Amino acid sequence: MQSLTGTVESIVYRSDGDDFTVFRLVPARENVPVSVVGNFPAPLVGEELDLTGDWVEHSRFGRQFKAASCRRLAPTTVKGIERFLASGAIKGIGPATAARMVARFGDRTLEMLENYPHRLTEIEGIGAKKAAVIRASFAEHSDLREIMLFLETHGVTGAYAGRIYKHYGAAALAVLKENPYRLAAEVDGIGFRIADHIALALGHDKSDPARLTAGIEYALLQTAQTGHCCLPEEVLVQESAKLLGADAIDIAVCLAGLVRDNNLHTEDSQGTTLIYPGLLYHAETQVAARLKRLQERAFPAESGDAVRAVDAWEEREGITLAAAQREAVAAALRHGVLVLTGGPGTGKTVTVKGILAVLAEQGFKILLGAPTGRAAKRLSEACGREAATIHRLLEATGGREGAPQFLRDERTPLDADVVIIDEASMIDITLMYYLLRAVPEGCRFVLVGDVDQLPAVGPGSVLKDIIRSGTVPVVRLSEVFRQAGESVIVVNAHRINRGLFPDTRSSADFQFREVADEAAVAAAIVRLCGEELPAAGLDPLADVQVLSPMHRQQCGVENLNRLLQAALNPSTPARPSVGGGALRLGDKVMQTRNNYGKGVFNGDIGYIVGADSGIALVRYPDGDVLYEKAEIDELILAYAMSVHKSQGSEYPAVVMPLVAGHYIMLQRNLLYTAVTRAKQSVILLGTKAALNTALANDRTRRRYSLLAERLRGESLC
Ligand SMILES: Nc1ncnc2c1ncn2[C@@H]1O[C@H](COP(=O)(O)OP(=O)(O)OP(=O)(O)O)[C@@H](O)[C@H]1O
């Protein structure tokens, strides 16, 4: 390694993420600038740097200094100070003011700025107000520089300094020195791994209790991301020990302390101690308590009138409800909480319309909701009355991903006597908690959904657990009302749900194309979407959805998206790119996190209708949303998506690979969920063996949760 000291002359390139830069530097005691590349944020023009690295020969750009570390020095020469101040880094100072300042204070200019800012008014053109602006900006800049310097001298890239400073301001250094693990919990974009890297680099001990605590909390968080609400103690200890490279005994001791101090919660069930993070414990206990209360306290309804009301409604609609459907309507009148479940075409929506008619007749005020915008829209169209997403019902506002803010809660509950929620299988334990918190006392609560669909992406298997508890009235609809000829998809969905091979012969609307090789499957999918389906009158972007069981491999979501983008929306000069070239004008994209500020949510699909200077305009069904450069990473391509992400949506045509490489995800409920997303046609491509594996595999991994036990009022200790 060699060292190189000099002054930054100009910035040639800075990456979007601010973690790669190329600049020209004039070495000390020389006049000829050299090129420097480095994996750190771009420095400021005029800054003096002390670099460590190697000289390399680049095939296109020639000789350059590849810097491994960068230490910023305060400029010392008059020329350096002037260049630094003139760079625009400090608000209120431009080149002319910079020249006047160094002319007045010489090499003591920075000292004046730091310690005697009132003397700035001695300079022509600087009044008291401007002096205050300059002083504040300089202070901010020097704080930030200090954090960068602190991180870089400890071998950590200064790229995180901006985020850390934004969150803690002047207190940042103190936090870094005292407990860098706080960053993981408090700073957006910094997780446990980065915080741990910083802490270890700063010399914190591997067995530091703050490290063990943060590691245990991180391991629990990871657990929630795989669908569990809690974890057996031994499993958590093992996972944490592996993650931290620490002794299991130390972890167990730390864990006991966290439980003692109520930072984590425990529950003993059937001889196993389960550990909960605070929010999930609260959510689960509250969901159970609130469901029980709603069951007990529903406003009474007049059931005598109800029979007449159902009869009158049937006559008006020209329909005769089946016995199970009538039972559901009656149960909605009798009970405070009701679950209505059934597969596709079993008449759930018709039953909901019956429930609506009867309850509205009794003067109840009814709210309809669903977890996704598309499901809410469908419900609204089917029922002929307004339906909203749960987030909209709860009036979601800004807030961090983990703790959204809802204006509707127990203090300002929903204005309703009945709340009916469709696609309830998609609701995780935290959303159910926020929803129930806002359902007023005495209100009826009806959950409608297909319990055989995949469970929610988030923690818990709420609908399944409520049904499993046996404490809430459940009406199961099993008769399929749609005619077989009318929908081979519905017939096959029910066959798949029973583990039977789908009928792929009698109609072109449900095809299985045998293709042996995985690369050939991917190519066939591209041909299908690019040529065959458009020739059959389908719009490959709006009407066709490719679904895949996994993200990786040739037939995974990522590769299919790359291939489909190249085929359906190829790169041309007329289609500017955004997001570092990953996305371009015309692309079909998906929002990947809940952004309450923008009103777009995880799973929302749109199209890029504008792209300019790194900024994108995305058209969603509810309107256009602008993404600044730094926000583009919330978007991914959506020509193909995972089956999990497709929950709650429907598409005219679904195309899906079924290949051996996706072995671990070949499950019956995944195939069932994918197939039931299609309205007109399904095309599966792959091997019979993979299809059979999916049909045979009905073992769904049990999610750790005690909601059913709590509803049953079981003593958990
Ligand atoms: N009692 C009934 N008699 C005759 N037809 C019915 C009856 N109930 C429902 N149907 C018809 O069956 C079809 C499916 O009903 P519905 O849409 O209510 O089912 P669903 O369970 O909501 O289906 P999906 O989950 O696929 O939306 C509709 O065409 C509906 O009109």
Side-chain angles (χ1 to χ4, degrees), residues 414-537:
L414 296 167
D415 182 15
D417 305 311
V418 182
V419 172
I420 301 178
I421 303 290
D422 198 6
E423 297 285 356
S425 60
M426 291 180 68
I427 306 178
D428 66 27
I429 194 75
T430 44
L431 186 59
M432 187 59 96
Y433 159 64
Y434 290 123
L435 173 61
L436 283 170
R437 194 175 65 163
V439 174
E441 197 125 303
C443 183
R444 284 178 157 64
F445 189 60
V446 181
L447 291 173
V448 184
D450 180 354
V451 74
D452 292 323
Q453 300 279 342
L454 288 169
V457 176
S461 39
V462 181
L463 186 65
K464 212 174 235 169
D465 287 353
I466 293 175
I467 295 174
R468 192 164 59 87
S469 76
T471 61
V472 171
V474 177
V475 176
R476 283 170 207 273
L477 302 179
S478 50
E479 187 178 343
V480 181
F481 290 101
R482 285 202 187 104
Q483 299 298 310
E486 199 187 315
S487 181
V488 64
I489 298 171
V490 170
V491 171
N492 277 338
H494 286 271
R495 286 184 67 84
I496 289 169
N497 204 22
R498 280 179 284 142
L500 302 174
F501 205 86
D503 168 10
T504 57
R505 300 249 163 84
S506 58
S507 163
D509 290 345
F510 199 110
Q511 300 179 28
F512 174 62
R513 299 188 182 181
E514 272 195 86
V515 186
D517 174 60
E518 298 192 9
V521 172
I525 288 175
V526 174
R527 251 194 329 276
L528 197 58
C529 297
E531 298 162 24
E532 194 182 323
L533 293 173

Side-chain angles (χ1 to χ4, degrees), residues 581-618:
L583 308 175
R584 64 179 74 110
L585 187 65
D587 272 338
K588 179 177 179 181
V589 290
M590 182 197 282
Q591 167 76 19
T592 56
R593 54 178 282 258
N594 291 335
N595 189 326
Y596 298 93
K598 284 193 187 302
V600 281
F601 301 100
N602 195 351
D604 284 353
I605 301 289
Y607 298 92
I608 300 184
V609 292
D612 188 12
S613 317
I615 294 172
L617 187 69
V618 178

Side-chain angles (χ1 to χ4, degrees), residues 319-322 325 343-350 481-482 650 679:
I319 204 167
T320 308
L321 289 180
Q325 289 174 308
T346 53
K348 297 185 294 297
T349 311
V350 166
F481 290 101
R482 285 202 187 104
E650 284 180 346
K679 282 292 155 216

Side-chain angles (χ1 to χ4, degrees), residues 206-265:
K206 272 198 149 187
S207 55
D208 183 337
R211 178 170 190 265
L212 301 188
T213 300
I216 292 169
E217 282 170 356
Y218 177 71
L220 260 184
L221 196 78
Q222 295 288 97
T223 301
Q225 279 169 2
T226 55
H228 300 296
C229 290
C230 51
L231 209 57
E233 187 177 14
E234 318 84 73
V235 179
L236 179 60
V237 169
Q238 275 165 21
E239 291 291 317
S240 309
K242 204 158 68 192
L243 172 79
L244 293 161
D247 202 297
I249 293 176
D250 292 342
I251 303 274
V253 171
C254 182
L255 186 55
L258 287 170
V259 172
R260 202 175 44 240
D261 297 343
N262 268 338
N263 289 322
L264 299 178
H265 297 267

Side-chain angles (χ1 to χ4, degrees), residues 101-114:
M101 285 170 75
V102 291
R104 174 84 182 84
F105 300 121
D107 61 4
R108 294 188 59 205
T109 304
L110 295 184
E111 189 191 328
M112 288 297 163
L113 262 173
E114 179 100 52

Side-chain angles (χ1 to χ4, degrees), residues 29 40 62 164 183 193 196 258 262 267 287 304 315 332 370 409 429 468 476 503 662 688 704:
R29 290 185 297 279
F40 40 77
I164 298 172
L183 306 183
R193 287 187 192 278
D196 194 37
L258 287 170
N262 268 338
E267 209 73 86
V287 166
E315 205 167 311
D409 55 17
I429 194 75
R468 192 164 59 87
R476 283 170 207 273
D503 168 10
H662 289 168
K688 270 213 173 98
Y704 290 111

